[in-house]
Amino acid sequence: MGKRVALVLAGCGVFDGSEIHEASAALVHLSRGGAEVKIFAPNIEQRDVVNHLKGSPTEEKRNVLVESARLARGNIQDLAELKASDFDAVIFPGGFGVAKNLCSWAVDGKNCTVNEHVSSTLQAFHNAKKPIGLCCISPVLAAKVFPGCEVTVGQDKNIDGRFPDAETASAIAELGCKHICKNVNESHVDKANKIVTTCAFMCKAPLHEIFDGIGTMVQEVLKLA
């Protein structure tokens, strides 16, 4: 019987929601791994709405759950309804929506607050000793909720211009967590906390390398489940 995995989204689109390629990659790898997946998102208003053609904010108002339903092909539930007891693992794709809607990292950095349903979901899986998978910027959620945990967002230096957000690693360390440097096609497993992370689009890399890295994260999550 396949593992039951909850996937938590933060909207639809890299600049104000979930990164679409990351969400799709996670779903493809979960499907290949025989997992049974249900998708969730918080029923809240987005922090902002970005015109992805121009890269600038608009005056629109959008709902995170409604926008996430685009990625879920309509088959989605309110995050408030997620019960850790119904699943073997949980996975969070990245995208600016994680840093804007699931927490306030985009504005407040390491001093951010985490959405109550996101925090309670993470705590519930952690308390049940069930694995948590995070990619791109979403490892900051674990860093904020679980002081002392180990995560990766790639490298802590902007090697060859490929890691423009390398300072995120320093902020994670300032939260009392250990940042582990990894390449884009790798993931890190914090065995003590059952947290699996990979950098995805935190690295400027070809899409297939990002896809492969997310694959290693999903595989490790399913092994731990």
Side-chain angles (χ1 to χ4, degrees), residues 74-150:
N75 189 7
I76 194 168
Q77 293 173 260
D78 188 336
L79 182 60
E81 299 173 6
L82 195 163
K83 294 182 175 63
S85 57
D86 292 338
F87 296 92
D88 300 303
V90 65
I91 288 177
F92 289 76
F96 277 99
V98 171
K100 292 179 175 181
N101 305 325
L102 303 193
C103 70
S104 63
W105 187 278
V107 176
D108 303 319
K110 68 181 191 303
N111 298 316
C112 72
T113 56
V114 179
N115 171 275
E116 62 175 319
H117 295 302
V118 173
S119 180
S120 63
T121 294
L122 289 167
Q123 291 281 10
F125 277 86
H126 187 259
N127 291 342
K129 295 183 174 13
K130 294 179 177 180
I132 298 166
L134 307 131
C135 66
C136 193
I137 191 61
S138 63
V140 301
L141 297 172
K144 190 67 183 180
V145 175
F146 307 119
C149 71
E150 297 177 356

Side-chain angles (χ1 to χ4, degrees), residues 143 146-150 170-179:
F146 307 119
C149 71
E150 297 177 356
S170 298
I172 286 170
E174 288 174 22
L175 285 170
C177 298
K178 186 174 183 179
H179 179 265

Side-chain angles (χ1 to χ4, degrees), residues 16 27 42 67 76 79 92 123 154 156 158 160 162-163 187 192-193 200:
D16 58 14
L27 287 166
E67 289 301 295
I76 194 168
L79 182 60
F92 289 76
Q123 291 281 10
D156 56 11
N158 189 9
D160 297 327
R162 298 179 76 219
F163 294 89
S187 56
N193 291 295

